[in-house]
Amino acid sequence: MSEEDTTHFGYRDVKTEEKAGLVRGVFDSVASRYDVMNDLMSAGVHRIWKRFTIELSGVRRGNRVLDIAGGTGDLAAKFAPMVGDEGEVVLADINASMLRVGRDRLIDNGIRGNLHYVQADAQYLPFPDNHFDCITIAFGLRNVTDKDKALRSMLRILKPGGRLLVLEFSKPRNPLLSRAYDAYSFSVLPFMGKLVAGDSESYQYLAESIRMHPDQETLRQMMEDAGFARCDYHDMTGGVVAVHRGVKD
């Protein structure tokens, strides 16, 4: 097989057309325990990372917002009251299990009306050109097979002046932190996954997929290459996580 025919799934090389199915299997396995594991893995800090992303978004009343790879709806739940009845929030995920968990959770919390659910692939977003004021993707871009294609798809459906926020695991700046993070990722995470979610392999993939994701400067350049302007990023927790922002001119 040529390099064009393969991509990475964690540290494994797989056929390009197989990756989406493999990622789907990971999230089918962990969907019901996803929120619990996020709180345990990050000691709750993921909520602070997401809150900062929302603050950077500039979302206001009447806006249309798309949350891609929205999972169990953390960001969508915050955006819905911000845009109000005249606005719209779309929670999108390629994985039906995750989307179902997110929809049920938000409905149970009384969040309805301006919130819609769409099963969609980030590479082929089924929305009109120039439609959204803001797009967010939190901890989802690293699982996308063709990130460049996904970024161009997001640019297409943003309105001029619209903003993309990419919240994702990244590369720690401090070598000591990096070593400690590696030790935690490859020993504690799989053990925790087995104990809480009954699945160590999915959390082994999580650790590997983070290491295969582009670093901060590479992702910023990818966003610029896709056509985004004024691209910048903010490191959090020493660079363990970064939020990238770009604007459509």
Side-chain angles (χ1 to χ4, degrees):
M1 290 186 293
S2 68
E3 288 187 8
E4 290 78 9
D5 296 327
T6 63
T7 188
H8 58 81
F9 176 72
Y11 288 163
R12 293 164 48 198
D13 287 333
V14 299
K15 293 180 179 179
T16 299
E17 65 269 19
E18 291 178 351
K19 180 169 179 176
L22 292 168
V23 170
R24 187 178 305 115
V26 168
F27 287 95
D28 281 343
S29 175
V30 303
S32 64
R33 306 296 289 170
Y34 187 76
D35 287 333
V36 173
M37 280 297 296
N38 277 351
D39 280 328
L40 288 172
M41 287 188 301
S42 70
V45 178
H46 74 99
R47 299 178 186 275
I48 298 173
W49 299 332
K50 291 171 182 173
R51 189 179 308 135
F52 182 64
T53 302
I54 290 167
E55 289 173 0
L56 285 180
S57 71
V59 166
R60 59 186 184 274
R61 202 161 190 84
N63 279 177
R64 285 185 180 140
V65 180
L66 171 64
D67 184 26
I68 302 171
T72 53
D74 284 359
L75 293 180
K78 301 296 185 185
F79 282 132
M82 292 171 68
V83 304
D85 292 340
E86 60 267 49
E88 177 188 29
V89 177
V90 177
L91 174 59
D93 204 294
I94 194 173
N95 185 274
S97 299
M98 293 293 290
L99 196 61
R100 191 179 310 114
V101 170
R103 182 189 60 209
D104 291 348
R105 175 187 177 195
L106 294 176
I107 289 173
D108 288 347
N109 288 332
I111 303 172
R112 309 183 186 206
N114 63 354
L115 190 54
H116 306 285
Y117 306 90
V118 175
Q119 187 173 356
D121 185 333
Q123 301 169 122
Y124 310 100
L125 292 165
F127 304 103
D129 294 358
N130 307 313
H131 188 72
F132 290 100
D133 298 281
C134 180
I135 296 174
T136 56
I137 178 167
F139 306 113
L141 186 62
R142 72 179 186 280
N143 297 312
V144 175
T145 303
D146 190 331
K147 297 173 181 61
D148 295 315
K149 184 180 289 186
L151 289 170
R152 291 193 299 271
S153 183
M154 295 175 207
L155 184 75
R156 177 186 64 79
I157 63 174
L158 272 175
K159 296 177 182 178
R163 301 160 302 284
L164 169 66
L165 280 297
V166 180
L167 176 63
E168 189 55 88
F169 292 108
S170 202
K171 302 296 185 285
R173 302 292 188 174
N174 184 290
L176 290 176
L177 175 60
S178 184
R179 285 197 291 272
Y181 181 46
D182 281 347
Y184 173 78
S185 299
F186 288 102
S187 57
V188 177
L189 284 190
F191 174 76
M192 196 181 295
K194 183 175 182 179
L195 194 66
V196 177
D199 183 351
S200 62
E201 290 184 4
S202 290
Y203 287 91
Q204 178 73 25
Y205 162 74
L206 169 66
E208 293 176 2
S209 69
I210 291 168
R211 300 321 183 276
M212 298 299 291
H213 187 67
D215 64 18
Q216 289 93 322
E217 280 297 325
T218 303
L219 180 54
R220 184 189 63 78
Q221 187 62 55
M222 289 170 66
M223 291 173 66
E224 289 186 352
D225 292 345
F228 286 94
R230 288 170 273 165
C231 298
D232 60 9
Y233 62 85
H234 300 266
D235 283 339
M236 293 181 281
T237 317
V240 168
V241 164
V243 56
H244 284 68
R245 177 174 52 182
V247 178
K248 179 175 180 176
D249 278 345

